[in-house]
Amino acid sequence: MNYITLNNGIRVPQLGLGVWKVPNEEAEKAVVQALETGYRLIDTAKIYGNEVGVGEALAKCDVSREELFITTKVWNSDQGYESTLKAFDESLEKLGLDYVDLYLIHWPTPQYDSYVETYKALEKLYKDGRTKAIGVCNFEIEHLERIMKECEIKPSVNQVECHPYLQQKELKKFCKEHGIYLEAYSPLMNGTKVLEDPVIKEIAEQHGKTPAQVILRWHLQTDVIVIPKTVTASRMEENLAVFDFELSDVDMDKIAALDRGERHNADPNEMNVR
Ligand SMILES: NC(=O)c1ccc[n+]([C@@H]2O[C@H](COP(=O)([O-])OP(=O)(O)OC[C@H]3O[C@@H](n4cnc5c(N)ncnc54)[C@H](OP(=O)(O)O)[C@@H]3O)[C@@H](O)[C@H]2O)c1
């Protein structure tokens, strides 16, 4: 496992497990399996409805709390200062933890104009030592600029959709310039067509790796944190086996050329579901 260091000095495994769309009952089994396979970062959210299952797995496992890196997120309907503090308490209780490692705003939902107040609640939680780092998801440059202007603590992470068909080059550059780590969600485009891309397949054949491994390796080499989701034990191993090979500059250039700005998930400026 590779570790990176956030702008506040916190160390993070560069590759973790996402558990979106994993039902609560299945989440416990999946997280136990992942921890046994060697994963240490688990990415959940209130809206995934599986914080209890994740927490049960954490309680069962032999891995020390210090080794784990647990992320959860405040949902859109809980945005606002007091409501975020309350939602955080509920998440922590469900997870059975006394702190999380990273607490994120799930979506900016700019129509409701409450992400600044919400972020101020995250700052309080951070100052109180209840989360080791704070950040955001799905924030575009204008949302990040506003947070940096109106709040005190710079976000450590911006978790956004990112894969070879949506490479987020401009946002990546902006985040890098401001010391904000980009964390790639749906890194395999939610298990869809990018895995069938002929260029990816050709590079995979050349390296004796799978298309998923090539894509995950590309993420690592572009210096982002990456959180592929799988509930399949063999894929957990496959997705973790990406630290023993390297893509050449030519491979990286070929993948860079696949960018087509294609989203699989909602557009952050239009997503306003509560
Ligand atoms: N902040 C946000 O708004 C946001 C939004 C979306 C996602 N996320 C986070 O990011 C995580 C990952 O994103 P995601 O779940 O959308 O999609 P993803 O990780 O890109 O893809 C997951 C899909 O790919 C399949 N898969 C995994 N490894 C594979 C492999 N080696 N070969 C072939 N197929 C493979 C999985 O199937 P099986 O599970 O059946 O094996 C699953 O259907 C989420 O779980 C969540 O934690 C955050």
Side-chain angles (χ1 to χ4, degrees):
M1 180 58 68
N2 224 34
Y3 281 77
I4 58 97
T5 304
L6 299 178
N7 59 12
N8 64 348
I10 295 292
R11 279 177 87 232
V12 187
Q14 201 184 352
L15 190 149
L17 183 83
V19 294
W20 182 33
K21 293 186 188 162
V22 183
N24 205 36
E25 316 76 64
E26 221 186 310
E28 180 183 341
K29 192 168 155 264
V31 172
V32 166
Q33 179 72 48
L35 294 171
E36 281 171 6
T37 310
Y39 288 79
R40 292 295 176 261
L41 185 168
I42 307 295
D43 182 88
T44 183
K46 173 181 173 172
I47 196 68
Y48 301 169
N50 56 21
E51 289 171 313
V52 170
V54 170
E56 278 164 4
L58 301 179
K60 260 190 187 173
C61 74
D62 282 337
V63 183
S64 71
R65 177 67 187 91
E66 296 70 45
E67 264 189 77
L68 296 167
F69 192 94
I70 309 302
T71 302
T72 194
K73 315 182 188 94
V74 53
W75 183 239
N76 304 345
S77 55
D78 292 317
Q79 280 206 22
Y81 190 84
E82 292 299 335
S83 42
T84 295
L85 297 179
K86 186 165 170 276
F88 178 83
D89 285 345
E90 287 164 5
S91 283
L92 213 53
E93 198 183 329
K94 285 186 186 153
L95 286 163
L97 299 175
D98 52 15
Y99 69 90
V100 293
D101 297 279
L102 180 62
Y103 197 45
L104 301 172
I105 300 181
H106 210 140
W107 291 89
T109 58
Q111 297 88 334
Y112 301 115
D113 195 22
S114 52
Y115 65 80
V116 171
E117 283 312 299
T118 304
Y119 193 81
K120 287 182 178 170
L122 266 59
E123 290 182 317
K124 161 134 179 77
L125 294 165
Y126 177 69
K127 286 179 188 167
D128 290 348
R130 304 185 73 206
T131 177
K132 299 279 179 201
I134 54 176
V136 293
C137 305
N138 298 300
F139 272 42
E140 300 284 317
I141 290 174
E142 72 257 33
H143 311 130
L144 290 170
E145 279 175 334
R146 185 153 169 228
I147 289 286
M148 289 193 284
K149 193 162 158 239
E150 297 183 36
C151 300
E152 210 183 309
I153 303 167
K154 207 184 258 191
S156 288
V157 166
N158 186 19
Q159 184 184 107
V160 296
E161 178 175 348
C162 183
H163 43 71
Y165 288 173
L166 179 73
Q167 298 192 13
Q168 303 276 20
K169 287 174 185 155
E170 204 191 335
L171 188 59
K172 261 182 199 164
K173 187 167 169 277
F174 179 89
C175 286
K176 195 152 222 142
E177 278 166 12
H178 292 273
I180 301 167
Y181 241 97
L182 196 131
E183 184 171 37
Y185 81 60
S186 298
L188 304 173
M189 206 179 180
N190 203 244
T192 59
K193 59 188 171 187
V194 75
L195 291 169
E196 299 297 323
D197 186 280
V199 172
I200 300 285
K201 277 178 144 177
E202 191 197 342
I203 296 172
E205 272 165 32
Q206 283 164 1
H207 287 274
K209 291 283 180 181
T210 66
Q213 287 173 323
V214 165
I215 294 170
L216 294 172
R217 183 69 211 176
W218 167 78
H219 281 291
L220 298 177
Q221 287 184 218
T222 57
D223 195 24
V224 302
I225 306 167
V226 64
I227 46 168
K229 173 262 174 184
T230 179
V231 291
T232 315
S234 59
R235 285 176 175 170
M236 285 184 195
E237 286 192 17
E238 176 186 337
N239 294 351
L240 205 54
V242 291
F243 295 97
D244 59 351
F245 77 112
E246 201 165 337
L247 298 174
S248 67
D249 291 347
V250 174
D251 297 332
M252 293 297 283
D253 288 347
K254 282 185 186 165
I255 300 176
L258 298 178
D259 195 8
R260 37 170 113 150
E262 185 177 336
R263 283 188 191 280
H264 180 80
N265 299 271
D267 183 321
N269 271 311
E270 286 163 18
M271 164 55 164
N272 57 9
V273 175
R274 280 185 138 174

mmCIF file of all heavy atoms in Angstrom, residues 131-169:
data_model
loop_
_atom_site.group_PDB
_atom_site.id
_atom_site.type_symbol
_atom_site.label_atom_id
_atom_site.label_comp_id
_atom_site.label_asym_id
_atom_site.label_seq_id
_atom_site.Cartn_x
_atom_site.Cartn_y
_atom_site.Cartn_z
ATOM 1 N N THR A 131 -13.006 14.493 13.933
ATOM 2 C CA THR A 131 -12.617 13.983 12.627
ATOM 3 C C THR A 131 -11.182 14.446 12.368
ATOM 4 O O THR A 131 -10.831 15.581 12.694
ATOM 5 C CB THR A 131 -13.582 14.439 11.503
ATOM 6 O OG1 THR A 131 -13.081 13.947 10.260
ATOM 7 C CG2 THR A 131 -13.751 15.944 11.418
ATOM 8 N N LYS A 132 -10.374 13.540 11.816
ATOM 9 C CA LYS A 132 -8.946 13.869 11.624
ATOM 10 C C LYS A 132 -8.732 14.811 10.447
ATOM 11 O O LYS A 132 -7.696 15.477 10.360
ATOM 12 C CB LYS A 132 -8.139 12.589 11.374
ATOM 13 C CG LYS A 132 -8.191 11.594 12.508
ATOM 14 C CD LYS A 132 -7.220 11.969 13.604
ATOM 15 C CE LYS A 132 -7.294 10.983 14.741
ATOM 16 N NZ LYS A 132 -6.769 11.512 15.997
ATOM 17 N N ALA A 133 -9.686 14.813 9.524
ATOM 18 C CA ALA A 133 -9.578 15.715 8.369
ATOM 19 C C ALA A 133 -10.988 16.000 7.854
ATOM 20 O O ALA A 133 -11.920 15.240 8.126
ATOM 21 C CB ALA A 133 -8.737 15.076 7.270
ATOM 22 N N ILE A 134 -11.111 17.113 7.135
ATOM 23 C CA ILE A 134 -12.418 17.470 6.565
ATOM 24 C C ILE A 134 -12.256 17.805 5.084
ATOM 25 O O ILE A 134 -11.160 18.173 4.629
ATOM 26 C CB ILE A 134 -13.083 18.670 7.302
ATOM 27 C CG1 ILE A 134 -12.140 19.885 7.364
ATOM 28 C CG2 ILE A 134 -13.538 18.252 8.697
ATOM 29 C CD1 ILE A 134 -12.790 21.127 7.988
ATOM 30 N N GLY A 135 -13.367 17.665 4.383
ATOM 31 C CA GLY A 135 -13.301 17.969 2.963
ATOM 32 C C GLY A 135 -14.679 17.964 2.346
ATOM 33 O O GLY A 135 -15.695 18.024 3.043
ATOM 34 N N VAL A 136 -14.690 17.850 1.031
ATOM 35 C CA VAL A 136 -15.931 17.991 0.274
ATOM 36 C C VAL A 136 -15.963 16.935 -0.829
ATOM 37 O O VAL A 136 -14.955 16.292 -1.118
ATOM 38 C CB VAL A 136 -16.005 19.407 -0.341
ATOM 39 C CG1 VAL A 136 -16.137 20.464 0.744
ATOM 40 C CG2 VAL A 136 -14.791 19.696 -1.225
ATOM 41 N N CYS A 137 -17.133 16.778 -1.421
ATOM 42 C CA CYS A 137 -17.283 15.905 -2.593
ATOM 43 C C CYS A 137 -17.997 16.711 -3.670
ATOM 44 O O CYS A 137 -18.853 17.541 -3.350
ATOM 45 C CB CYS A 137 -18.184 14.709 -2.344
ATOM 46 S SG CYS A 137 -17.789 13.660 -0.982
ATOM 47 N N ASN A 138 -17.688 16.410 -4.879
ATOM 48 C CA ASN A 138 -18.441 16.977 -6.015
ATOM 49 C C ASN A 138 -18.352 18.494 -6.072
ATOM 50 O O ASN A 138 -19.261 19.143 -6.608
ATOM 51 C CB ASN A 138 -19.910 16.534 -5.934
ATOM 52 C CG ASN A 138 -20.066 15.033 -6.033
ATOM 53 O OD1 ASN A 138 -19.680 14.442 -7.029
ATOM 54 N ND2 ASN A 138 -20.593 14.400 -4.990
ATOM 55 N N PHE A 139 -17.299 19.074 -5.494
ATOM 56 C CA PHE A 139 -17.161 20.532 -5.541
ATOM 57 C C PHE A 139 -16.426 20.932 -6.812
ATOM 58 O O PHE A 139 -15.385 20.386 -7.145
ATOM 59 C CB PHE A 139 -16.420 21.059 -4.297
ATOM 60 C CG PHE A 139 -17.350 21.355 -3.138
ATOM 61 C CD1 PHE A 139 -18.393 20.509 -2.813
ATOM 62 C CD2 PHE A 139 -17.171 22.499 -2.354
ATOM 63 C CE1 PHE A 139 -19.265 20.771 -1.750
ATOM 64 C CE2 PHE A 139 -18.025 22.787 -1.289
ATOM 65 C CZ PHE A 139 -19.070 21.922 -0.983
ATOM 66 N N GLU A 140 -17.000 21.900 -7.515
ATOM 67 C CA GLU A 140 -16.361 22.480 -8.687
ATOM 68 C C GLU A 140 -15.460 23.611 -8.195
ATOM 69 O O GLU A 140 -15.529 24.014 -7.027
ATOM 70 C CB GLU A 140 -17.434 23.024 -9.638
ATOM 71 C CG GLU A 140 -18.407 21.973 -10.132
ATOM 72 C CD GLU A 140 -17.813 21.073 -11.207
ATOM 73 O OE1 GLU A 140 -17.138 21.587 -12.112
ATOM 74 O OE2 GLU A 140 -18.028 19.857 -11.137
ATOM 75 N N ILE A 141 -14.662 24.166 -9.097
ATOM 76 C CA ILE A 141 -13.709 25.196 -8.697
ATOM 77 C C ILE A 141 -14.400 26.353 -7.973
ATOM 78 O O ILE A 141 -13.935 26.823 -6.930
ATOM 79 C CB ILE A 141 -12.896 25.697 -9.928
ATOM 80 C CG1 ILE A 141 -11.951 24.581 -10.384
ATOM 81 C CG2 ILE A 141 -12.119 26.972 -9.599
ATOM 82 C CD1 ILE A 141 -11.197 24.858 -11.666
ATOM 83 N N GLU A 142 -15.560 26.789 -8.503
ATOM 84 C CA GLU A 142 -16.212 27.961 -7.877
ATOM 85 C C GLU A 142 -16.662 27.674 -6.442
ATOM 86 O O GLU A 142 -16.607 28.537 -5.574
ATOM 87 C CB GLU A 142 -17.379 28.488 -8.730
ATOM 88 C CG GLU A 142 -18.622 27.629 -8.763
ATOM 89 C CD GLU A 142 -18.775 26.826 -10.056
ATOM 90 O OE1 GLU A 142 -17.757 26.416 -10.636
ATOM 91 O OE2 GLU A 142 -19.922 26.602 -10.474
ATOM 92 N N HIS A 143 -17.064 26.414 -6.176
ATOM 93 C CA HIS A 143 -17.482 26.062 -4.810
ATOM 94 C C HIS A 143 -16.259 26.029 -3.879
ATOM 95 O O HIS A 143 -16.338 26.486 -2.735
ATOM 96 C CB HIS A 143 -18.187 24.701 -4.788
ATOM 97 C CG HIS A 143 -19.271 24.550 -5.824
ATOM 98 N ND1 HIS A 143 -19.357 23.476 -6.668
ATOM 99 C CD2 HIS A 143 -20.296 25.378 -6.154
ATOM 100 C CE1 HIS A 143 -20.402 23.628 -7.471
ATOM 101 N NE2 HIS A 143 -20.980 24.775 -7.178
ATOM 102 N N LEU A 144 -15.156 25.508 -4.386
ATOM 103 C CA LEU A 144 -13.928 25.457 -3.571
ATOM 104 C C LEU A 144 -13.432 26.864 -3.274
ATOM 105 O O LEU A 144 -13.010 27.171 -2.149
ATOM 106 C CB LEU A 144 -12.835 24.669 -4.300
ATOM 107 C CG LEU A 144 -13.056 23.155 -4.425
ATOM 108 C CD1 LEU A 144 -12.036 22.554 -5.383
ATOM 109 C CD2 LEU A 144 -12.964 22.477 -3.063
ATOM 110 N N GLU A 145 -13.503 27.716 -4.283
ATOM 111 C CA GLU A 145 -13.039 29.104 -4.082
ATOM 112 C C GLU A 145 -13.850 29.789 -2.992
ATOM 113 O O GLU A 145 -13.313 30.515 -2.158
ATOM 114 C CB GLU A 145 -13.146 29.894 -5.401
ATOM 115 C CG GLU A 145 -11.955 29.612 -6.305
ATOM 116 C CD GLU A 145 -12.072 30.262 -7.669
ATOM 117 O OE1 GLU A 145 -13.217 30.501 -8.124
ATOM 118 O OE2 GLU A 145 -11.004 30.488 -8.287
ATOM 119 N N ARG A 146 -15.140 29.533 -2.977
ATOM 120 C CA ARG A 146 -15.997 30.175 -1.976
ATOM 121 C C ARG A 146 -15.658 29.663 -0.568
ATOM 122 O O ARG A 146 -15.575 30.445 0.379
ATOM 123 C CB ARG A 146 -17.470 29.917 -2.328
ATOM 124 C CG ARG A 146 -18.379 30.641 -1.406
ATOM 125 C CD ARG A 146 -19.709 30.979 -2.014
ATOM 126 N NE ARG A 146 -20.568 31.436 -0.939
ATOM 127 C CZ ARG A 146 -21.802 31.024 -0.718
ATOM 128 N NH1 ARG A 146 -22.366 30.155 -1.544
ATOM 129 N NH2 ARG A 146 -22.479 31.484 0.294
ATOM 130 N N ILE A 147 -15.456 28.350 -0.459
ATOM 131 C CA ILE A 147 -15.078 27.788 0.850
ATOM 132 C C ILE A 147 -13.766 28.420 1.325
ATOM 133 O O ILE A 147 -13.634 28.822 2.484
ATOM 134 C CB ILE A 147 -14.913 26.243 0.755
ATOM 135 C CG1 ILE A 147 -16.271 25.555 0.571
ATOM 136 C CG2 ILE A 147 -14.177 25.677 1.964
ATOM 137 C CD1 ILE A 147 -17.149 25.509 1.801
ATOM 138 N N MET A 148 -12.814 28.527 0.416
ATOM 139 C CA MET A 148 -11.507 29.058 0.825
ATOM 140 C C MET A 148 -11.597 30.540 1.189
ATOM 141 O O MET A 148 -10.848 31.021 2.014
ATOM 142 C CB MET A 148 -10.470 28.802 -0.271
ATOM 143 C CG MET A 148 -10.111 27.318 -0.351
ATOM 144 S SD MET A 148 -8.659 26.986 -1.349
ATOM 145 C CE MET A 148 -9.330 27.161 -2.960
ATOM 146 N N LYS A 149 -12.557 31.242 0.602
ATOM 147 C CA LYS A 149 -12.725 32.660 0.893
ATOM 148 C C LYS A 149 -13.483 32.871 2.212
ATOM 149 O O LYS A 149 -13.132 33.726 3.014
ATOM 150 C CB LYS A 149 -13.507 33.299 -0.262
ATOM 151 C CG LYS A 149 -13.487 34.798 -0.263
ATOM 152 C CD LYS A 149 -13.879 35.330 -1.628
ATOM 153 C CE LYS A 149 -14.369 36.758 -1.474
ATOM 154 N NZ LYS A 149 -15.720 36.953 -1.932
ATOM 155 N N GLU A 150 -14.505 32.064 2.436
ATOM 156 C CA GLU A 150 -15.412 32.337 3.563
ATOM 157 C C GLU A 150 -15.164 31.471 4.799
ATOM 158 O O GLU A 150 -15.771 31.703 5.837
ATOM 159 C CB GLU A 150 -16.875 32.188 3.097
ATOM 160 C CG GLU A 150 -17.229 33.201 2.032
ATOM 161 C CD GLU A 150 -18.683 33.123 1.595
ATOM 162 O OE1 GLU A 150 -19.559 32.850 2.424
ATOM 163 O OE2 GLU A 150 -18.931 33.323 0.391
ATOM 164 N N CYS A 151 -14.301 30.460 4.671
ATOM 165 C CA CYS A 151 -14.049 29.587 5.824
ATOM 166 C C CYS A 151 -12.574 29.664 6.205
ATOM 167 O O CYS A 151 -11.773 30.282 5.512
ATOM 168 C CB CYS A 151 -14.454 28.158 5.510
ATOM 169 S SG CYS A 151 -16.205 28.025 5.092
ATOM 170 N N GLU A 152 -12.260 29.011 7.305
ATOM 171 C CA GLU A 152 -10.934 29.152 7.890
ATOM 172 C C GLU A 152 -9.971 28.044 7.439
ATOM 173 O O GLU A 152 -8.823 28.288 7.146
ATOM 174 C CB GLU A 152 -11.151 29.008 9.400
ATOM 175 C CG GLU A 152 -10.214 29.751 10.305
ATOM 176 C CD GLU A 152 -10.578 29.406 11.746
ATOM 177 O OE1 GLU A 152 -11.770 29.516 12.124
ATOM 178 O OE2 GLU A 152 -9.672 28.992 12.466
ATOM 179 N N ILE A 153 -10.497 26.810 7.442
ATOM 180 C CA ILE A 153 -9.634 25.645 7.195
ATOM 181 C C ILE A 153 -9.827 25.154 5.762
ATOM 182 O O ILE A 153 -10.943 24.883 5.326
ATOM 183 C CB ILE A 153 -9.989 24.505 8.190
ATOM 184 C CG1 ILE A 153 -9.844 24.999 9.635
ATOM 185 C CG2 ILE A 153 -9.124 23.277 7.945
ATOM 186 C CD1 ILE A 153 -10.452 24.065 10.680
ATOM 187 N N LYS A 154 -8.714 25.025 5.072
ATOM 188 C CA LYS A 154 -8.788 24.558 3.692
ATOM 189 C C LYS A 154 -9.236 23.088 3.663
ATOM 190 O O LYS A 154 -8.766 22.299 4.500
ATOM 191 C CB LYS A 154 -7.382 24.668 3.097
ATOM 192 C CG LYS A 154 -7.354 24.847 1.612
ATOM 193 C CD LYS A 154 -5.942 24.843 1.118
ATOM 194 C CE LYS A 154 -5.440 26.235 0.837
ATOM 195 N NZ LYS A 154 -4.142 26.202 0.114
ATOM 196 N N PRO A 155 -10.130 22.709 2.741
ATOM 197 C CA PRO A 155 -10.478 21.282 2.654
ATOM 198 C C PRO A 155 -9.211 20.459 2.375
ATOM 199 O O PRO A 155 -8.320 20.912 1.654
ATOM 200 C CB PRO A 155 -11.419 21.214 1.442
ATOM 201 C CG PRO A 155 -11.853 22.614 1.177
ATOM 202 C CD PRO A 155 -10.794 23.519 1.719
ATOM 203 N N SER A 156 -9.150 19.260 2.963
ATOM 204 C CA SER A 156 -8.006 18.377 2.691
ATOM 205 C C SER A 156 -8.245 17.553 1.435
ATOM 206 O O SER A 156 -7.293 17.148 0.762
ATOM 207 C CB SER A 156 -7.761 17.429 3.873
ATOM 208 O OG SER A 156 -7.228 18.143 4.962
ATOM 209 N N VAL A 157 -9.529 17.294 1.142
ATOM 210 C CA VAL A 157 -9.874 16.380 0.050
ATOM 211 C C VAL A 157 -11.073 16.920 -0.732
ATOM 212 O O VAL A 157 -11.980 17.508 -0.150
ATOM 213 C CB VAL A 157 -10.252 14.991 0.658
ATOM 214 C CG1 VAL A 157 -10.938 14.097 -0.360
ATOM 215 C CG2 VAL A 157 -9.023 14.289 1.243
ATOM 216 N N ASN A 158 -11.056 16.707 -2.035
ATOM 217 C CA ASN A 158 -12.259 16.888 -2.855
ATOM 218 C C ASN A 158 -12.505 15.568 -3.572
ATOM 219 O O ASN A 158 -11.722 15.172 -4.445
ATOM 220 C CB ASN A 158 -12.067 18.023 -3.862
ATOM 221 C CG ASN A 158 -13.342 18.340 -4.651
ATOM 222 O OD1 ASN A 158 -14.441 17.979 -4.238
ATOM 223 N ND2 ASN A 158 -13.194 19.012 -5.781
ATOM 224 N N GLN A 159 -13.555 14.861 -3.171
ATOM 225 C CA GLN A 159 -13.858 13.549 -3.758
ATOM 226 C C GLN A 159 -14.808 13.755 -4.937
ATOM 227 O O GLN A 159 -15.929 14.232 -4.747
ATOM 228 C CB GLN A 159 -14.503 12.655 -2.694
ATOM 229 C CG GLN A 159 -14.761 11.248 -3.195
ATOM 230 C CD GLN A 159 -15.500 10.370 -2.194
ATOM 231 O OE1 GLN A 159 -16.675 10.072 -2.381
ATOM 232 N NE2 GLN A 159 -14.832 9.971 -1.140
ATOM 233 N N VAL A 160 -14.358 13.416 -6.123
ATOM 234 C CA VAL A 160 -15.167 13.665 -7.324
ATOM 235 C C VAL A 160 -15.130 12.473 -8.267
ATOM 236 O O VAL A 160 -14.224 11.638 -8.205
ATOM 237 C CB VAL A 160 -14.663 14.918 -8.101
ATOM 238 C CG1 VAL A 160 -14.820 16.182 -7.272
ATOM 239 C CG2 VAL A 160 -13.228 14.755 -8.554
ATOM 240 N N GLU A 161 -16.121 12.418 -9.157
ATOM 241 C CA GLU A 161 -16.101 11.374 -10.180
ATOM 242 C C GLU A 161 -14.865 11.565 -11.056
ATOM 243 O O GLU A 161 -14.611 12.668 -11.553
ATOM 244 C CB GLU A 161 -17.379 11.441 -11.046
ATOM 245 C CG GLU A 161 -17.355 10.386 -12.143
ATOM 246 C CD GLU A 161 -18.638 10.310 -12.954
ATOM 247 O OE1 GLU A 161 -19.666 10.902 -12.578
ATOM 248 O OE2 GLU A 161 -18.583 9.620 -14.010
ATOM 249 N N CYS A 162 -14.133 10.485 -11.240
ATOM 250 C CA CYS A 162 -12.919 10.593 -12.058
ATOM 251 C C CYS A 162 -12.548 9.207 -12.597
ATOM 252 O O CYS A 162 -12.499 8.238 -11.841
ATOM 253 C CB CYS A 162 -11.781 11.156 -11.196
ATOM 254 S SG CYS A 162 -10.246 11.430 -12.089
ATOM 255 N N HIS A 163 -12.346 9.122 -13.897
ATOM 256 C CA HIS A 163 -11.941 7.885 -14.576
ATOM 257 C C HIS A 163 -11.412 8.288 -15.952
ATOM 258 O O HIS A 163 -11.484 9.484 -16.307
ATOM 259 C CB HIS A 163 -13.128 6.904 -14.659
ATOM 260 C CG HIS A 163 -14.416 7.555 -15.048
ATOM 261 N ND1 HIS A 163 -14.655 8.022 -16.325
ATOM 262 C CD2 HIS A 163 -15.525 7.874 -14.330
ATOM 263 C CE1 HIS A 163 -15.862 8.573 -16.376
ATOM 264 N NE2 HIS A 163 -16.409 8.519 -15.167
ATOM 265 N N PRO A 164 -10.938 7.355 -16.749
ATOM 266 C CA PRO A 164 -10.338 7.774 -18.024
ATOM 267 C C PRO A 164 -11.274 8.547 -18.957
ATOM 268 O O PRO A 164 -10.806 9.335 -19.776
ATOM 269 C CB PRO A 164 -9.897 6.446 -18.651
ATOM 270 C CG PRO A 164 -9.574 5.591 -17.469
ATOM 271 C CD PRO A 164 -10.622 5.933 -16.445
ATOM 272 N N TYR A 165 -12.595 8.378 -18.824
ATOM 273 C CA TYR A 165 -13.505 9.130 -19.689
ATOM 274 C C TYR A 165 -13.910 10.487 -19.085
ATOM 275 O O TYR A 165 -14.589 11.281 -19.723
ATOM 276 C CB TYR A 165 -14.766 8.310 -19.980
ATOM 277 C CG TYR A 165 -14.552 7.136 -20.918
ATOM 278 C CD1 TYR A 165 -15.576 6.208 -21.151
ATOM 279 C CD2 TYR A 165 -13.348 6.949 -21.591
ATOM 280 C CE1 TYR A 165 -15.391 5.126 -22.017
ATOM 281 C CE2 TYR A 165 -13.154 5.866 -22.437
ATOM 282 C CZ TYR A 165 -14.173 4.967 -22.649
ATOM 283 O OH TYR A 165 -13.989 3.903 -23.503
ATOM 284 N N LEU A 166 -13.525 10.722 -17.825
ATOM 285 C CA LEU A 166 -13.798 12.020 -17.165
ATOM 286 C C LEU A 166 -12.590 12.298 -16.263
ATOM 287 O O LEU A 166 -12.583 11.970 -15.088
ATOM 288 C CB LEU A 166 -15.080 11.946 -16.318
ATOM 289 C CG LEU A 166 -15.446 13.239 -15.567
ATOM 290 C CD1 LEU A 166 -15.965 14.302 -16.527
ATOM 291 C CD2 LEU A 166 -16.502 12.963 -14.495
ATOM 292 N N GLN A 167 -11.570 12.906 -16.860
ATOM 293 C CA GLN A 167 -10.282 12.952 -16.158
ATOM 294 C C GLN A 167 -10.130 14.146 -15.233
ATOM 295 O O GLN A 167 -9.185 14.221 -14.475
ATOM 296 C CB GLN A 167 -9.141 12.874 -17.178
ATOM 297 C CG GLN A 167 -9.193 11.555 -17.959
ATOM 298 C CD GLN A 167 -7.958 11.258 -18.793
ATOM 299 O OE1 GLN A 167 -6.913 11.890 -18.642
ATOM 300 N NE2 GLN A 167 -8.070 10.289 -19.681
ATOM 301 N N GLN A 168 -11.033 15.109 -15.317
ATOM 302 C CA GLN A 168 -11.047 16.238 -14.367
ATOM 303 C C GLN A 168 -9.722 17.006 -14.375
ATOM 304 O O GLN A 168 -9.232 17.429 -13.315
ATOM 305 C CB GLN A 168 -11.338 15.741 -12.936
ATOM 306 C CG GLN A 168 -12.631 14.983 -12.774
ATOM 307 C CD GLN A 168 -13.838 15.896 -12.565
ATOM 308 O OE1 GLN A 168 -13.806 17.084 -12.900
ATOM 309 N NE2 GLN A 168 -14.910 15.344 -12.034
ATOM 310 N N LYS A 169 -9.162 17.209 -15.564
ATOM 311 C CA LYS A 169 -7.810 17.786 -15.626
ATOM 312 C C LYS A 169 -7.732 19.184 -14.997
ATOM 313 O O LYS A 169 -6.808 19.476 -14.246
ATOM 314 C CB LYS A 169 -7.320 17.820 -17.076
ATOM 315 C CG LYS A 169 -6.962 16.413 -17.578
ATOM 316 C CD LYS A 169 -6.601 16.409 -19.055
ATOM 317 C CE LYS A 169 -6.363 14.975 -19.536
ATOM 318 N NZ LYS A 169 -6.589 14.786 -20.969
#
